Amino acid sequence: MRRVSIFGATGSIGQSTIDLIARTPEAYDVVALTGGRNIARLADDAVRLGAELAVTAHDELLDDLRAALVGTGTEAAAGESALIEAAVRPADWVMSAIVGAAGLRPGLKALEQGGTLALANKESLVTAGPLLMEVARAHGATVLPVDSEHSAIFQALVGEDMSAVERIIITASGGAFRDWPLADLERATVKEASRHPNWAMGQRITIDSASMFNKALEIIETHEFFGIAPERIEVLVHPESLVHALVGFRDGALMAHLGVSDMRHAIGYALNWPAREALPVGRLDLAGIGQLNFRHPDEARYPALRLAREVMARGGLSGAVFNAAKEATLDGFIAGRIGFTGMAGVVEAVLERIGSNEGLIDANMTLDNIRAADHVARSLADEEMRERAA
Ligand code: NDP
């Protein structure tokens, strides 16, 4: 029996992971499930899967979780320290699917235990890629990508030598507004931005797909995970979302990974790796699809892509600043404090204001310094949004 834990179990990735695990419950011993506000779902799944421990990130919800688990044999706990406690419980395979920078600390703690971390939480790599990979190396742990593009790259690289890789192309659907006239984007609502044309995902990543902040994070994620130079990473808009990524080799060959838009493929690949087992996902009917389209992204429509390249060029803790400013600005958009097209301007202003602060950006990549950079970025983003609203 493999011991598994799922961080962010109540979310979109967490639920897809549970869907796979629940198909062969005899193969898994569920150690910990964690969630946020969705206590009913967390408790139901913890009981159904016989989890040892269920954790909510919110202290004030501990009584509700305890009440839902009374007499079930699953322990209840809450708060950041409980998330860390869940991460240090021995497990062979841990899914990191908390949304946002909050996923970093539990992911690092899980890596320190030396098992396998299936990484959906791309914010960890954007915020602290070198630290995360170093902790994995130091503890003999394995990090497997779960983002569909990165799983696709990983699969295209099986048996290959990185020195033979010339370029990596990640695809982007273009998000909810890819066909909107540029002038209309200013009035785009949260509801409209939350509808993805091809994928069913959590609200935050769906809005980030519309603005391409998600793709910006993924460029940085590709750079950190595969150690490839930023100028060798390309983005193509591919409206069908069927080719997830391509790897170009020095002999001119281009290896593409195709599959239906179902995250259970990438999750299942990470769950069964290095084996490839049958998965309950649809099969592509290429003749039925007929054609696949690709085009260069319009940088005027998607300024986030340029910002990602600036962040990689700056290095240091600028990834942590970028991610935190992006998260705070997304909160601002969801709360109606800033318009859709205003988000990139706020993030850029924060990067500019902090960029010259060498003490902050070039500080050692420790959790304390990352937390400090994250904090400053969020308060500057807040200030920028207040000024723009005034
Ligand atoms: P969801 O919003 O659907 O789920 C997020 C999960 O994190 C929920 O379990 C939520 O709890 C929990 N959570 C939220 N805030 C906190 C916090 N502060 N501390 C601890 N837990 C918290 O997100 P997704 O599943 O869409 O995304 C998860 C991660 O995977 C993200 O990093 C995303 O970028 C990445 N990803 C997602 C893909 C997708 O298809 N959805 C594809 C590729 C990557 P609750 O809901 O109970 O409040």
Side-chain angles (χ1 to χ4, degrees), residues 5-162:
S5 289
I6 305 172
F7 287 77
T10 51
S12 167
I13 292 287
Q15 289 292 294
S16 293
T17 309
I18 287 175
D19 175 82
L20 292 176
I21 282 173
R23 287 165 192 263
T24 48
E26 65 286 358
Y28 302 102
D29 203 349
V30 178
V31 181
L33 297 185
T34 86
R37 304 212 164 271
N38 196 339
I39 300 300
R41 185 178 278 176
L42 177 62
D44 277 0
D45 285 337
V47 172
R48 183 161 64 97
L49 299 176
E52 285 173 17
L53 172 67
V55 177
T56 163
H58 306 287
D59 290 304
E60 71 279 13
L61 295 177
L62 179 57
D63 287 347
D64 293 353
L65 184 60
R66 276 205 181 117
L69 291 174
V70 73
T72 64
T74 298
E75 295 166 59
E80 199 181 339
S81 58
L83 287 172
I84 299 303
E85 201 221 304
V88 300
R89 287 218 180 174
D92 305 302
W93 189 90
V94 175
M95 166 56 77
S96 166
I98 288 174
V99 65
L104 174 62
R105 207 168 268 250
L108 284 172
K109 274 290 164 204
L111 283 174
E112 285 176 11
Q113 313 315 307
T116 295
L117 187 72
L119 190 67
N121 179 264
K122 63 190 85 187
E123 298 89 341
S124 297
L125 275 174
V126 172
T127 301
L131 176 65
L132 192 113
M133 299 310 263
E134 180 47 39
V135 168
R137 254 190 307 275
H139 293 86
T142 303
V143 187
L144 295 174
V146 171
D147 223 347
S148 58
E149 296 77 1
H150 305 77
S151 173
I153 298 164
F154 191 78
Q155 293 180 50
L157 284 171
V158 170
E160 302 288 353
D161 191 326
M162 267 316 278

Side-chain angles (χ1 to χ4, degrees), residues 250-296:
R250 63 183 167 207
D251 61 356
L254 202 51
M255 303 287 270
H257 178 284
L258 285 81
V260 294
S261 308
D262 185 336
M263 283 307 296
R264 291 178 306 172
H265 172 76
I267 297 166
Y269 185 80
L271 187 61
N272 298 318
W273 181 87
R276 200 184 269 284
E277 302 292 348
L279 290 173
V281 299
R283 271 44 178 174
L284 280 187
D285 166 17
L286 286 177
I289 293 156
Q291 59 174 329
L292 299 171
N293 293 283
F294 300 91
R295 60 174 187 258
H296 290 293

